[in-house]
Amino acid sequence: KPIKLTMSAFGSYSGVERIDFTGIQNGCFLITGDTGAGKTTIFDAVTYAYMEEPAEESGTETLMRSQYADSETDTYVEFQFLYRDQEYTAEEIRNNLRPSKRKNADGTIKFVKETAKISLILPDEVNFRKEKEIDLKIEEIIGLDVNQFTQIAMIAQGDFLKLLHAESKERKQIFSKIFHTRIFWKIQDTLKEQAKEL
């Protein structure tokens, strides 16, 4: 259950944006807005905080840094959530450029990229800071890896639009891509071939 999401210089948000989910009484809400308003970025941020990957397949580390942010603003996502009434905090800070003390040969300011920082704070305040440890712990907590999480928790916006307008045959292919069911197609084809041989 989400508690609070903070995004800074992330995706389409140039500054710091905070979403407080605690004011929602019935647990059901709608994220709405114009095209390009940053709806998908919210889902990207949640997935990024959990799994260090955006929800959209097209998302990359470069795209996560807002093109509208100034050089002094850090790019980070912090996500507080409840699981079985225990509070966790996942934080991802990366792709930050800092002005260097040295300048370029032409006198312009030189920027250096800082190392990414990630952390997962558990209810007992134990803090994990290594990517592999965090990935394993997140999987242990919610029982899902990044692919399973994005399949179950959300369908990427582009795929949803394709579903709305697709023919039945196309829908089958889209669902197969989302839920990675191609292996079952292969099993089905193999059984058909074996049946023909018999």
Side-chain angles (χ1 to χ4, degrees):
K1 181 181 177 181
I3 299 173
K4 192 178 287 183
L5 174 67
T6 305
M7 300 169 286
S8 174
F10 184 84
S12 51
Y13 301 106
S14 61
V16 177
E17 297 290 337
R18 291 182 181 86
I19 301 172
D20 187 349
F21 296 94
T22 57
I24 300 158
Q25 299 302 316
N26 62 6
C28 184
F29 54 91
L30 174 70
I31 296 173
T32 183
D34 295 334
T35 301
K39 300 180 297 294
T40 303
T41 304
I42 294 168
F43 294 107
D44 277 337
V46 170
T47 313
Y48 198 63
Y50 267 145
M51 315 283 185
E52 294 90 53
E53 292 185 37
E56 293 276 20
E57 285 185 12
S58 60
T60 64
E61 183 179 317
T62 306
L63 291 174
M64 292 301 96
R65 169 78 182 171
S66 174
Q67 62 180 332
Y68 309 109
D70 60 51
S71 60
E72 298 299 310
T73 307
D74 286 342
T75 299
Y76 70 87
V77 171
E78 183 180 280
F79 184 52
Q80 292 167 267
F81 63 97
L82 282 178
Y83 182 75
R84 294 185 176 176
D85 296 322
Q86 299 286 305
E87 188 173 320
Y88 298 82
T89 301
E91 187 176 41
E92 176 89 13
I93 305 171
R94 66 167 64 215
N95 205 25
N96 293 318
L97 296 172
R98 289 284 185 202
S100 172
K101 290 178 182 177
R102 296 180 181 179
K103 291 188 177 182
N104 291 315
D106 61 358
T108 57
I109 297 171
K110 186 177 183 178
F111 290 92
V112 290
K113 187 176 174 182
E114 290 189 327
T115 308
K117 297 171 189 171
I118 57 173
S119 69
L120 174 66
I121 304 168
L122 305 186
D124 58 6
E125 296 188 3
V126 170
N127 194 341
F128 287 87
R129 294 186 181 277
K130 292 182 181 175
E131 193 168 332
K132 281 190 177 180
E133 287 179 352
I134 290 173
D135 289 346
L136 290 171
K137 196 65 188 174
I138 288 283
E139 283 185 40
E140 183 188 316
I141 293 163
I142 64 173
L144 303 168
D145 63 23
V146 64
N147 289 323
Q148 293 164 334
F149 178 77
T150 53
Q151 287 164 24
I152 292 168
M154 65 194 75
I155 297 175
Q157 188 170 269
D159 284 334
F160 184 68
L161 285 173
K162 285 178 199 169
L163 279 172
L164 290 176
H165 302 292
E167 299 290 331
S168 295
K169 193 174 181 181
E170 284 181 281
R171 280 191 188 138
K172 184 179 176 183
Q173 291 175 336
I174 293 165
F175 277 124
S176 175
K177 181 185 169 190
I178 292 168
F179 297 107
H180 301 283
T181 58
R182 281 190 199 283
I183 188 167
F184 299 108
W185 287 17
K186 287 180 182 177
I187 292 167
Q188 187 178 346
D189 290 341
T190 303
L191 289 172
K192 281 181 184 174
E193 288 301 316
Q194 287 176 359
K196 282 179 187 175
E197 288 172 14
L198 291 171

